[in-house]
Amino acid sequence: MSKKVLIISGSPRKGGNSDKLCDRFAEGARDAGHSVTKVSLADCKVGFCTGCNCCDQTHRCIIDDDVPEIIGRMMTSDVIVMASPVYFYSVDAQIKALIDRSVSVWTVMRDKVFYFIMTSAEDSETVMDCTLECFRGFISCISGSIEGGVICAKGVHSRGEIDGTDYMQQAYDMGRSV
C-alpha cells in the first residue's frame, strides 16, 4: 500500500550531508511506490515558540511563518523523516524550533512512523546519543507513533563527504523499506 512520506531536512546547508541522505531516502521511498514530499527548513521561515498558548484550543499556531503548513503536512503524512546535523550533541536549531512549534498539535497528531537521520563530523560512539534522545522525546509525546529506523552518519563534516559512503545506501534501503 502506498504511503504518504514527509521528509523534513533540518540542515541549514542545502546539499549538505544530512540533506543528501534525505534525498537518497526519498529516492528509495519513491522506488517503493510511495508518495514523497521533502521540506528543507533552510528554505522556510521558522520562528520559535513563544509559549503564548493560543494554540491550546485551536491546534493552530498564530505565528505567521511556514510552520503551520509544515505541521499540516505532518498531520496528513503516514511517515515522517526528520533529519539534522548534530550541533553540540543535539539537533540543530531549525529542527528544534519545528519540534517546539508542534506543541500546537501534539495532542491530536497520532499514529505516525518516524525515521531519523543524523550526521556529525565527530565519530565517537556517543556523539549522537543526545540528538537521538531529543527525537525520541518528541515522538514519545505523539500517541501511537513509532520509530521506524535511524541513520547515524558519523565522521562526515564537509559538504559532500557523505558521497560514496555506506550511509547513502543505508538511506536508500531505509526509504525502500517504508
Side-chain angles (χ1 to χ4, degrees):
M1 172 171 55
S2 180
K3 296 178 183 167
K4 288 180 71 173
V5 178
L6 175 64
I7 299 174
I8 303 169
S9 175
S11 177
R13 294 192 305 185
K14 290 201 58 129
N17 295 316
S18 59
D19 196 49
K20 285 185 172 198
L21 289 172
C22 288
D23 291 340
R24 277 298 278 167
F25 187 104
E27 188 180 342
R30 283 188 187 105
D31 285 352
H34 302 297
S35 168
V36 179
T37 301
K38 179 184 169 195
V39 173
S40 292
L41 295 183
D43 294 332
C44 300
K45 183 178 176 189
V46 178
F48 56 88
C49 180
T50 62
C52 69
N53 297 322
C54 290
C55 63
D56 284 352
Q57 300 303 315
T58 64
H59 302 293
R60 180 150 174 87
C61 184
I62 64 167
I63 297 173
D64 185 23
D65 63 6
D66 296 323
V67 172
E69 181 181 339
I70 298 166
I71 288 177
R73 289 175 188 243
M74 291 171 74
M75 294 292 290
T76 61
S77 295
D78 303 304
V79 174
I80 300 170
V81 179
M82 300 182 88
S84 176
V86 174
Y87 284 9
F88 295 101
Y89 303 105
S90 191
V91 295
D92 68 7
Q94 294 82 352
I95 281 286
K96 181 61 170 121
L98 179 63
I99 289 171
D100 290 349
R101 293 283 296 286
S102 297
V103 71
S104 63
V105 295
W106 76 273
T107 60
V108 294
M109 185 186 298
R110 53 188 28 90
D111 303 324
K112 307 296 179 188
V113 178
F114 283 87
Y115 290 84
F116 305 123
I117 296 173
M118 302 169 292
T119 59
S120 70
E122 188 179 322
D123 64 357
S124 71
E125 189 169 319
T126 60
V127 67
M128 295 183 179
D129 290 356
C130 293
T131 312
L132 185 54
E133 284 308 307
C134 181
F135 281 135
R136 287 177 171 163
F138 171 57
I139 71 165
S140 73
C141 297
I142 309 299
S143 181
S145 293
I146 61 168
E147 181 180 303
V150 176
I151 295 175
C152 297
K154 300 175 183 180
V156 292
H157 178 264
S158 298
R159 180 178 282 141
E161 278 188 64
I162 200 77
D163 295 334
T165 67
D166 290 342
Y167 300 125
M168 294 295 276
Q169 188 63 44
Q170 287 175 29
Y172 178 83
D173 292 343
M174 193 175 289
R176 281 210 39 105
S177 73
V178 166

